[in-house]
Amino acid sequence: MSANTALLLIDVQNYFDNPELGRRNNPQAEENMAALLHAWRETDRPVIHIRHVSNPAVADHPGRAIKDIVAPLPHEPVITKHVNSAFIGTNLEQHLREASIDALVIVGLTTDHCVSTTTRMAKNLGFSPFIVSDATATFERISFDGKLYAAEEIHQLALVSLHEEFAIVKDTKGILALLA
């Protein structure tokens, strides 16, 4: 993996600890994100944090804060987005191009929403995305027809729809091996 491959941490925010969101898969996802973040910092690779704030009036709410386990260092950019894609209404693409970054390792919350949307756009914009399967997570949901879908099922299907079309899906161990 090249030295100009950025780690993109999407929406790793306190809000996602809310029990009202339902059952979640990958309870160790943040620990895996932290392991990747440590490796990126140790090898002096670029790190970018993405923070979702749908409503600017609540931007300072504690739920919108990035989780301590992956807290940004002062020199690491934090890009605030207002929609699912980290590329819409932000300077993310410009930042990546100016830094000559062509590949992204994507982690964060949630797999089927902001992670998926950002990954699809990254590929469409010509970047080479990787998604880390055990450093992403989502929540159970009730379908339009009333059926409950488990978080793990939603997570796996989101990854299946992305793999080898929009991204390469690997686990934390696989990504760390590419850094060695």
Side-chain angles (χ1 to χ4, degrees), residues 46-67:
V47 173
I48 303 166
H49 301 265
I50 305 295
R51 187 175 80 110
H52 190 114
V53 179
S54 298
N55 179 353
V58 297
D60 295 330
H61 186 278
R64 297 297 172 207
I66 294 173
K67 293 183 179 196

Side-chain angles (χ1 to χ4, degrees), residues 69-158:
I69 192 169
V70 295
L73 296 178
H75 69 278
E76 293 171 348
V78 177
I79 295 174
T80 299
K81 64 182 180 64
H82 305 290
V83 297
N84 292 5
S85 174
F87 288 99
I88 300 292
T90 72
N91 69 340
L92 177 59
E93 181 182 7
Q94 177 185 348
H95 176 81
L96 296 172
R97 299 221 189 272
E98 287 175 356
S100 299
I101 294 167
D102 55 9
L104 302 170
V105 171
I106 300 173
V107 302
L109 303 168
T110 63
T111 315
D112 55 321
H113 286 141
C114 298
V115 170
S116 176
T117 304
T118 299
T119 300
R120 290 169 189 268
M121 283 204 68
K123 181 66 173 182
N124 288 336
L125 291 168
F127 297 99
S128 299
F130 293 80
I131 292 185
V132 187
S133 60
D134 58 355
T136 54
T138 196
F139 295 89
E140 67 185 1
R141 285 200 188 74
I142 296 175
S143 170
F144 59 89
D145 61 3
K147 180 179 176 187
L148 177 66
Y149 286 87
E152 185 60 25
E153 185 176 12
I154 294 169
H155 175 78
Q156 289 297 331
L157 289 174

Side-chain angles (χ1 to χ4, degrees), residues 2-66:
S2 74
N4 68 338
T5 298
L7 178 65
L8 192 63
L9 297 107
I10 299 175
D11 303 349
V12 190
Q13 296 168 250
N14 293 328
Y15 168 80
F16 289 109
D17 292 338
N18 184 343
E20 292 178 13
L21 294 173
R23 288 189 204 117
R24 190 186 113 172
N25 74 315
N26 279 350
Q28 79 294 348
E30 286 85 350
E31 292 170 13
N32 291 330
M33 292 176 208
L36 290 162
L37 182 56
H38 176 76
W40 249 253
R41 288 172 174 164
E42 286 290 308
T43 58
D44 201 29
R45 285 180 162 81
V47 173
I48 303 166
H49 301 265
I50 305 295
R51 187 175 80 110
H52 190 114
V53 179
S54 298
N55 179 353
V58 297
D60 295 330
H61 186 278
R64 297 297 172 207
I66 294 173

